[in-house]
Amino acid sequence: MTKQLLSGNEAIARGAWEAGVKFASGYPGTPSTEILENLAKYPEVDAQWSANEKVAFEEGMGAAIGGLRVLVTMKMVGLNVAADPFMVFPYAGTNGGFVLISADDPGMHSSQNEQDNRYLALMAKVPVLEPSDAQECKDYIEFGLELSEAHETPVMMRTTTRLAHHKGLVALGDRVEVSRKEFTPDVKRFSVPIYRKLRRPEVEKRLERLREFAESTPINRVEWRASQPGAAAAKGSVGVVTSGIAYQYVREVMPAASVFRLGLTHPLPSRSLIEFCAAHETVYVVEEGEAFIESHLAALGATNMIGKSAFGVIGEYSPDRIAAAIAATPTAPMQDFSKEIAMLPRPPMFCVGCGHRTVFDVLRQLKVTVAGDIGCYTMGALPPYEAEHTTFCMGASIGTAFGLERAGHERTVAIIGDSTFVHAGIPALIDAVFNGSGLTLVILDNSTTGMTGQQPHPGAGTTLKGKPAPKLDLEAMVRAAGVKQVQIVDTWQRKEVGRAIRAALLQGEPSVVIARGPCMRLPEMKLSERAASPYVVDESLCTKCDACFKVWCPAITRTAEGFPIIDTLDCTACTVCAQVCPTEAIGPVDSRQ
Amino acid sequence: MDTTNLIFAGVGGQGVLLIAELTAQTAVRAGHDVKQTEVHGVSQRGGSVESHVRFGDANAVHSPLVRAGQADVVVGLEKLEGLRYADFLNPVTGSLLVNDHEIIPGSVANAAEKYPHHAMDFLRHKGLRVVELPASRCAKDLGDGRMANVIMVGALSALLALPEEDWLETLKERIPAKHREANLRAFQAGRRLSTDFGSPFGLSGMQPVAGGHRDSGPLSPAKGDNHD
Ligand SMILES: Cc1ncc(C[n+]2csc(CCOP(=O)(O)OP(=O)(O)O)c2C)c(N)n1
């Protein structure tokens, strides 16, 4: 059997392909994005980016009811958006296997909050799988699809950032073709609230069956080491209950401890867990996120657990953190140099040539309040711009600006990316117009979902599989919402951008500026593709006035003599530095030679 | 064998993840169990980037994260980033292999004045083994400053007990044809640099490459190629 080094996300994609998945949908979001990007490479799988997670979920739900094996992927906050169908799908139950990947992000590496989605699954009464390495990421997909079909239930697999983005060896298999299951339209099962009451008891009966399943499934297993099954707890005996990647940390730090490794964390195997607790004097519960397993054990009456009080609820776990919590001596003394030397931070920043820069430069100068949104442009909140004053969740800019305006803060600008606008901004704009706002909205239209790595969306003109698709007309969309003042500007023309935003602010009615210019990371923006040349500084014309440094372009640094110098390998020929140069010392390399 | 613990650190865009992957793949090819970890996302926008690689006997590598004080080598593609992860080094046997190159954080106020230019002396003073290599300059001499990462992984390769053929096979497989030759040259230049600057230098329990070529001489410039 061949083994390959795969990331958790690559393994999930592989698992879906091997298990005969035919339809897959999702919306990008770290740490889930690479699953669909990898799955799209298989011709047998119809994989797509949807407009948002709710739509992705509903499309997957339809495909599964229609009889296909389905995978739906999203980051954890995506499930908030898709919570509506998620809560009700289990009532009807599925036909073809349906696995939802919910990618949690303990530590908020790339997220606006920390959220343990096992609680959403608890609420939806949906079983939860938690793999703990790349191999299990692959294997649990098939397992989950079979579980889903056997119990006619959607299944959620919870991954975390570390699991999704770590790599390990995975044994590969072949694809099994699974034929479409028969779908019989059934009003009583799939439709209308009065019939839903009839389905309600089914959900509980299913959970009961799943509880029994949890006691016997091999993915919940005890690795007995120092302690013995059935024996009374010996003095000083320590057992561990754990799930997910934390299992690996436990194995690393406590190699001699008996470990109850849970692969199915909802519903939990109560009887087995109680037996395990009884066999140890102390039981550590090591789970990333909330005290999901621990509080279940507490409800069962167990009193000998140590969990969140020692390991904490905030942030990501690591072997060091677990070792420190159980006071196992680290093998080498920890040294911490940060107290003795300036460990300068290195925050992320706009890429070379990013079209968002000009907009934030204007907003900074205008000293307006900016209700921001989620995307690369969230970095407008960081120095040197500090021109984004609120950021909550996708699409929130418009509603927040509306509310700020109602509270008397008239000079407020909402700012939103094109992908985010399509995802959740459109209803908010319709509402703002409807309720009589005088809002100014800037849509940063870079033809892609930049933050998560350039995924196409309905305004981009291609699908995940690279097929041409109708391109959503943002201007027509905005006008259809009732906005009359719409300006479209080239985002790299800094004066035009400034004029447009200033003009918009003077309107007493809803006004939209679409700042347009593709993300510089898109392949078509390569210099060679655009037949453009990098820019250079002519030192004979440069007066070292430093205006170009105020563009904050990472490609511009200083020579030993204090002149600006542009890294010609990095330069994207966005021209903004040349526009600010008062002496025309900056221009394309060809014209200067 | 004991598990080998490596950390790769640098600035987004320097190719940290590529060389971590090259190392992990080479360890797989050499028959080891391997775990690697990195975090994708905003950090790639010019921020700090790190990746951990651990390899050892079959089924012996559990956590993908290296523990503090246990790294055998920290490979820094930039000095501040090397410094940032230096406390992961095993204080007795660990080595910081660092590209003698400074990138001032662009969006930090007065970063140029605050930058810890003396970082490597500071770490040496703390008793750590620090090897500074002119990888960026050497990469420029070879025709493309962006190959500093491959030079650094070449230097690392001279310290690890992974067969040279496995490294070369991995490079050939992973680097697109049009950049392959240049990168293979960069890799070999790194191997030579390591032995020139680093000796006596080898990890406990591992064999440094025997002898070491002292003939590095002026590096022959290669055609300018850049890889994304
Ligand atoms: C509900 C939800 N889904 C997904 C994400 C992940 N995410 C963060 S920003 C972003 C979209 C960014 O695209 P766009 O608005 O076009 O801005 P850009 O990054 O291109 O500037 C996504 C999908 C999220 N934060 N919340």
Side-chain angles (χ1 to χ4, degrees):
Chain A
M1 200 164 20
T2 46
K3 279 195 170 189
Q4 261 185 32
L5 195 64
L6 296 185
S7 71
N9 281 345
E10 289 166 338
I12 290 171
R14 176 79 192 194
W17 175 77
E18 287 182 12
V21 162
K22 284 214 175 68
F23 179 80
S25 54
Y27 183 74
T30 314
S32 70
T33 313
E34 300 84 1
I35 302 172
L36 283 193
E37 288 180 329
N38 280 288
L39 199 47
K41 293 177 189 159
Y42 297 105
E44 299 91 340
V45 186
D46 179 6
Q48 63 169 54
W49 289 126
S50 307
N52 68 30
E53 291 88 352
K54 177 171 160 22
V55 176
F57 190 102
E58 289 157 349
E59 290 166 339
M61 182 165 70
I65 289 171
L68 301 183
R69 283 195 160 182
V70 169
L71 188 77
V72 174
T73 73
M74 56 194 63
K75 74 179 290 165
M76 84 296 189
V77 286
L79 192 53
N80 302 341
V81 177
D84 213 0
F86 184 53
M87 295 296 153
V88 69
F89 187 21
Y91 278 56
T94 191
N95 182 23
F98 179 100
V99 172
L100 163 75
I101 306 292
S102 166
D104 287 10
D105 187 14
M108 297 194 273
H109 291 283
S110 308
S111 305
Q112 62 257 38
N113 64 337
E114 276 188 342
Q115 176 178 314
D116 186 334
N117 274 5
R118 294 178 297 181
Y119 279 103
L120 281 180
L122 179 81
M123 209 165 149
K125 299 176 183 277
V126 162
V128 177
L129 304 178
E130 289 194 65
S132 65
D133 63 15
Q135 180 72 54
E136 288 179 356
C137 280
K138 195 200 82 161
D139 297 344
Y140 280 23
I141 295 294
E142 189 185 12
F143 183 91
L145 288 164
E146 284 171 0
L147 183 71
S148 168
E149 284 162 4
H151 296 267
E152 296 189 331
T153 178
V155 168
M156 180 177 115
M157 182 159 123
R158 179 203 190 212
T159 65
T160 55
T161 304
R162 193 61 64 183
L163 186 70
H165 288 169
H166 95 292
K167 286 186 179 149
L169 289 173
V170 178
L172 305 183
D174 292 326
R175 177 171 169 93
V176 197
E177 284 302 339
V178 180
S179 49
R180 194 183 71 180
K181 292 177 90 182
E182 210 49 54
F183 165 61
T184 339
D186 177 353
V187 175
K188 289 190 178 153
R189 182 171 164 200
F190 295 115
S191 193
V192 251
I194 48 164
Y195 293 122
R196 280 282 140 79
K197 283 191 184 164
L198 303 177
R199 296 292 302 177
R200 180 70 185 89
E202 293 305 313
V203 179
E204 297 307 316
K205 281 186 211 153
R206 179 200 293 142
L207 259 188
E208 208 38 59
R209 288 198 303 275
L210 286 166
R211 282 191 191 102
E212 278 312 308
F213 177 79
E215 301 285 353
S216 62
T217 175
I219 70 168
N220 289 339
R221 62 163 197 265
V222 180
E223 296 170 359
W224 292 102
R225 299 275 156 100
S227 49
Q228 289 304 316
K235 186 130 188 59
S237 58
V238 171
V240 183
V241 177
T242 186
S243 69
I245 192 100
Y247 163 77
Q248 307 294 348
Y249 306 154
V250 167
R251 270 282 151 256
E252 200 79 39
V253 176
M254 291 180 265
S258 294
V259 174
F260 200 144
R261 220 298 311 264
L262 290 160
L264 178 69
T265 49
H266 180 249
L268 283 162
S270 303
R271 283 198 308 278
S272 313
L273 282 168
I274 287 296
E275 273 167 33
F276 185 78
C277 287
H280 300 94
E281 188 178 66
T282 307
V283 172
Y284 288 116
V285 184
V286 188
E287 53 182 328
E288 268 185 315
E290 301 295 325
F292 185 82
I293 303 168
E294 186 185 356
S295 47
H296 184 80
L297 288 174
L300 291 172
T303 53
N304 58 339
M305 313 89 70
I306 299 179
K308 292 297 164 191
S309 61
F311 304 107
V313 71
I314 300 171
E316 196 188 1
Y317 281 12
S318 67
D320 286 325
R321 181 163 165 175
I322 291 165
I326 63 168
T329 30
T331 42
M334 254 291 260
Q335 23 196 2
D336 180 4
F337 301 132
S338 63
K339 291 189 188 73
E340 295 170 69
I341 189 163
M343 205 78 82
L344 280 192
R346 195 184 295 277
M349 53 187 169
F350 291 121
C351 301
V352 177
C354 177
H356 297 347
R357 258 198 199 88
T358 49
V359 173
F360 282 102
D361 203 33
V362 170
L363 294 174
R364 182 180 60 85
Q365 290 175 37
L366 284 175
K367 298 200 168 51
V368 284
T369 307
V370 180
D373 224 299
I374 311 261
C376 288
Y377 46 91
T378 305
M379 288 186 287
L382 302 176
Y385 301 103
E386 299 182 80
E388 196 172 316
H389 307 101
T390 69
T391 324
F392 296 103
C393 56
M394 286 188 74
S397 57
I398 300 173
T400 310
F402 178 94
L404 281 165
E405 184 190 52
R406 283 292 156 103
H409 304 278
E410 299 285 340
R411 279 173 65 82
T412 300
V413 173
I415 188 152
I416 195 167
D418 51 345
S419 189
T420 302
F421 182 67
V422 174
H423 175 284
I426 293 170
L429 181 63
I430 292 172
D431 180 88
V433 175
F434 173 60
N435 282 307
S437 164
L439 174 103
T440 294
L441 169 67
V442 182
I443 302 178
L444 300 166
D445 179 10
N446 62 2
S447 292
T448 194
T449 317
M451 176 95 274
T452 44
Q454 294 77 43
Q455 292 77 27
H457 60 71
T462 48
T463 66
L464 169 59
K465 289 251 186 184
K467 290 207 195 79
K471 202 170 148 90
L472 177 72
D473 182 341
L474 285 183
E475 184 189 355
M477 188 83 227
V478 166
R479 288 196 189 278
V483 179
K484 297 196 183 63
Q485 306 296 332
V486 186
Q487 306 172 75
I488 300 174
V489 289
D490 175 341
T491 194
W492 291 291
Q493 294 305 317
R494 44 185 301 280
K495 286 200 175 130
E496 268 187 52
V497 171
R499 260 197 302 273
I501 297 177
R502 280 192 182 84
L505 275 167
L506 294 175
Q507 309 291 340
E509 59 180 301
S511 183
V512 171
V513 176
I514 300 177
R516 186 163 281 166
C519 172
M520 282 296 188
R521 287 176 176 250
L522 289 170
E524 66 261 32
M525 294 305 283
K526 280 202 175 136
L527 287 186
S528 50
E529 295 292 313
R530 289 185 285 144
S533 327
Y535 277 46
V536 285
V537 178
D538 184 339
E539 290 186 3
S540 68
L541 295 174
C542 175
T543 60
K544 299 187 192 172
C545 75
D546 278 8
C548 56
F549 284 103
K550 305 270 158 53
V551 174
W552 304 103
C553 174
I556 305 178
T557 52
R558 213 180 280 278
T559 65
E561 294 75 41
F563 287 107
I565 177 166
I566 302 173
D567 185 330
T568 47
L569 288 174
D570 284 345
C571 178
T572 59
C574 77
T575 77
V576 176
C577 59
Q579 292 172 42
V580 300
C581 177
T583 59
E584 295 183 13
I586 303 179
V589 66
D590 321 325
S591 64
R592 305 272 153 171
Q593 276 172 349
Chain B
M1 71 182 278
D2 285 339
T3 301
T4 300
N5 295 306
L6 308 171
I7 292 182
F8 298 82
V11 178
Q14 280 195 298
V16 173
L17 301 185
L18 172 70
I19 59 169
E21 190 198 317
L22 287 173
T23 307
Q25 291 289 6
T26 304
V28 171
R29 202 177 285 275
H32 298 294
D33 188 14
V34 180
K35 290 259 168 85
Q36 182 194 345
T37 185
E38 61 208 34
V39 168
H40 304 186
V42 290
S43 56
Q44 281 165 321
R45 306 279 181 271
S48 306
V49 177
E50 77 179 297
S51 177
H52 298 207
V53 174
R54 307 185 67 220
F55 64 90
D57 294 336
N59 303 318
V61 185
H62 298 288
S63 163
L65 286 167
V66 173
R67 289 184 63 181
Q70 293 194 359
D72 297 301
V73 186
V74 169
V75 178
L77 295 187
E78 196 273 349
K79 278 161 62 174
L80 172 59
E81 298 313 315
L83 168 71
R84 204 184 301 284
Y85 295 96
D87 52 12
F88 274 91
L89 281 170
N90 183 313
V92 184
T93 59
S95 303
L96 174 62
L97 196 58
V98 67
N99 178 14
D100 175 16
H101 181 63
E102 296 181 352
I103 302 176
I104 310 291
S107 56
V108 176
N110 307 320
E113 290 99 82
K114 289 192 220 151
Y115 190 97
H117 302 286
H118 65 298
M120 296 308 129
D121 288 336
F122 166 85
L123 292 175
R124 279 192 197 98
H125 187 72
K126 289 280 164 194
L128 285 180
R129 185 150 43 172
V130 178
V131 182
E132 288 178 80
L133 300 177
S136 286
R137 267 172 285 149
C138 170
K140 269 206 190 97
D141 291 345
L142 283 173
D144 184 350
R146 293 186 204 200
M147 294 192 304
N149 61 339
V150 176
I151 291 180
M152 290 301 287
V153 85
L156 173 71
S157 76
L159 312 179
L160 301 178
L162 296 172
E164 184 176 1
E165 316 79 87
D166 289 336
W167 283 103
L168 297 178
E169 279 306 306
T170 305
L171 279 160
K172 282 179 200 152
E173 190 180 278
R174 184 62 182 73
I175 311 280
K178 78 174 185 201
H179 306 300
R180 201 168 290 147
E181 280 311 308
N183 277 282
L184 285 170
R185 271 197 297 277
F187 179 82
Q188 293 297 358
R191 265 177 99 81
R192 283 197 299 272
L193 272 185
S194 182
T195 40
D196 285 354
F197 282 73
S199 57
F201 190 47
L203 299 177
S204 56
M206 299 176 201
Q207 296 150 6
V209 276
H213 319 262
R214 296 239 149 234
D215 59 343
S216 56
L219 295 158
S220 47
K223 205 179 146 282
D225 259 340
N226 48 346
H227 54 90
D228 304 312

